[in-house]
Amino acid sequence: MSYFDRFLKTNRAYADLHGTAHLPLKPKTQVAIVTCMDSRLHVAPALGLALGDAHILRNAGGRVTEDIIRSLVISQQQMGTREIVVLHHTDCGAQTFTNEDFAKHIHRELGVDVAGQDFLPFEDVEDSVREDMEMLRQSPLIPDDVMISGAIYDVDTGLMTQVQ
Amino acid sequence: MSYFDRFLKTNRAYADLHGTAHLPLKPKTQVAIVTCMDSRLHVAPALGLALGDAHILRNAGGRVTEDIIRSLVISQQQMGTREIVVLHHTDCGAQTFTNEDFAKHIHRELGVDVAGQDFLPFEDVEDSVREDMEMLRQSPLIPDDVMISGAIYDVDTGLMTQVQ
């Protein structure tokens, strides 16, 4: 049995409890959260979000990429969000490699040349949060009056600490 | 009080209950889920995921983009995932616009020319899941033996239905 089949089974029980209710497409808090794909961070309970509260965007590292900007523009211009939280975390997979070594690994394992591609690793998690907040502030696609905050999530304690 | 400040406050209570425990960096199920940022989908409870179980990747639409491929390569090559689930949903924001109209809106609201840029809207949600599964199958960066499944989440009922 694949995990997909198990997810479908568990989901039937979840749907039984869910019942039928239509929530609006536009998030209630008008917030979009940009964070990492890490398995040890469950965003909704960690921040106290109910269904319908906020957009949650996740990629490797929680980095601000073109695709995140695309998503935020849709979030803001189509669905009315006005605040962004950049949330990185301790013990991140993006801290476990360099682009150069990773490109060598990919070439060896998959036979694909990705030399020169930036996989967006980082060393210091406070720096990465500040860098990504700055990317958002500099983007002409994010209006100047959008509130941008940053924080680090500790995967061992569940605690979130603001980055100024 | 911004929502960010409220999240920090709620998170302190969450962390009190969380306690201290170190889970491994590598997801236990070896699954990565690619899904939408939509506020009405809380992935972990909907699929029965515990902390540490699976990578969760989210953007506007749950579309397979270069950034999602970047994230999946890190997920697979650095953290050992071997299965991908593409999960789109009903009543998606990506179904509310066309690239042409959206570019006009952006130009009017932000004064930025994004004509020609694909914001990845779609009409039919089954088609978008199939298209993105195919993108993954075609990518030289995703090994052929990775299991790829697709499904649609109903935001009104919480039920997930497989797409073949």
Side-chain angles (χ1 to χ4, degrees):
Chain A
M1 199 181 196
S2 69
Y3 273 102
F4 178 69
D5 290 325
R6 299 187 205 192
F7 296 156
L8 285 176
K9 195 176 163 190
T10 309
N11 173 259
R12 285 197 291 274
Y14 175 78
D16 276 347
L17 286 172
H18 184 286
T20 301
H22 182 69
L23 289 168
L25 180 63
K26 297 186 177 187
K28 186 175 136 188
T29 66
Q30 301 184 311
V31 179
I33 294 145
V34 178
T35 193
C36 184
M37 65 185 180
D38 194 279
S39 64
R40 299 161 298 178
L41 168 54
H42 285 183
V43 181
L47 276 66
L49 301 172
L51 283 178
D53 271 0
H55 282 153
I56 303 173
L57 291 70
R58 306 183 72 165
N59 65 14
R63 305 310 310 265
V64 172
T65 59
E66 266 184 40
D67 191 39
I68 292 292
I69 298 278
R70 174 190 72 86
S71 300
L72 287 171
V73 172
I74 294 170
S75 172
Q76 297 183 339
Q77 301 298 327
Q78 286 291 112
M79 289 174 279
T81 63
R82 304 294 301 157
E83 187 176 337
I84 302 170
V85 176
V86 175
L87 181 63
H88 294 182
H89 66 91
T90 58
D91 192 32
C92 185
Q95 294 171 303
T96 62
F97 63 92
T98 63
N99 279 320
E100 203 183 348
D101 288 345
F102 196 55
K104 281 182 199 157
H105 171 89
I106 299 295
H107 191 260
R108 201 168 52 236
E109 290 297 316
L110 304 173
V112 182
D113 182 8
V114 292
Q117 191 179 328
D118 191 353
F119 283 85
L120 305 174
F122 58 82
E123 290 184 6
D124 185 275
V125 65
E126 282 196 34
D127 288 348
S128 67
V129 171
R130 285 195 194 99
E131 206 174 282
D132 285 345
M133 289 167 74
E134 191 56 27
M135 288 271 288
L136 293 173
R137 286 193 197 101
Q138 297 295 332
S139 174
L141 290 168
I142 307 294
D144 291 341
D145 60 349
V146 165
M147 179 179 290
I148 297 168
S149 308
I152 295 166
Y153 180 83
D154 186 317
V155 293
D156 288 349
T157 65
L159 194 67
M160 197 175 141
T161 309
Q162 183 165 11
V163 174
Q164 297 283 1
Chain B
M1 198 181 198
S2 70
Y3 271 103
F4 178 69
D5 290 325
R6 299 187 205 191
F7 296 155
L8 285 176
K9 194 176 164 190
T10 309
N11 174 259
R12 285 196 291 275
Y14 175 79
D16 276 348
L17 286 172
H18 184 285
T20 300
H22 183 69
L23 290 169
L25 181 63
K26 297 186 178 188
K28 185 175 137 190
T29 65
Q30 302 185 308
V31 179
I33 294 145
V34 178
T35 191
C36 184
M37 65 184 179
D38 194 280
S39 65
R40 298 161 298 178
L41 168 55
H42 285 184
V43 181
L47 275 65
L49 300 172
L51 283 178
D53 271 359
H55 282 153
I56 303 174
L57 291 70
R58 307 182 69 165
N59 65 14
R63 306 310 310 264
V64 172
T65 60
E66 267 185 40
D67 191 39
I68 292 290
I69 299 278
R70 173 189 73 86
S71 301
L72 287 170
V73 172
I74 294 170
S75 172
Q76 297 184 338
Q77 301 298 327
Q78 286 292 115
M79 291 173 275
T81 63
R82 305 292 303 155
E83 185 176 338
I84 302 170
V85 176
V86 175
L87 181 62
H88 293 181
H89 66 90
T90 59
D91 191 33
C92 184
Q95 293 170 304
T96 62
F97 65 91
T98 62
N99 279 321
E100 202 183 347
D101 288 345
F102 197 54
K104 280 182 200 158
H105 172 89
I106 299 294
H107 191 260
R108 203 168 48 234
E109 290 296 316
L110 305 173
V112 181
D113 182 7
V114 292
Q117 191 180 327
D118 191 354
F119 283 84
L120 305 174
F122 57 82
E123 289 183 8
D124 185 276
V125 65
E126 283 198 31
D127 287 348
S128 67
V129 171
R130 286 196 192 101
E131 207 174 282
D132 284 346
M133 290 167 75
E134 191 56 28
M135 288 271 289
L136 294 172
R137 287 195 197 102
Q138 297 295 332
S139 172
L141 290 167
I142 308 293
D144 290 340
D145 60 348
V146 165
M147 180 180 291
I148 297 167
S149 307
I152 295 166
Y153 180 83
D154 186 317
V155 294
D156 289 347
T157 64
L159 194 67
M160 198 174 140
T161 308
Q162 182 165 13
V163 174
Q164 299 282 3

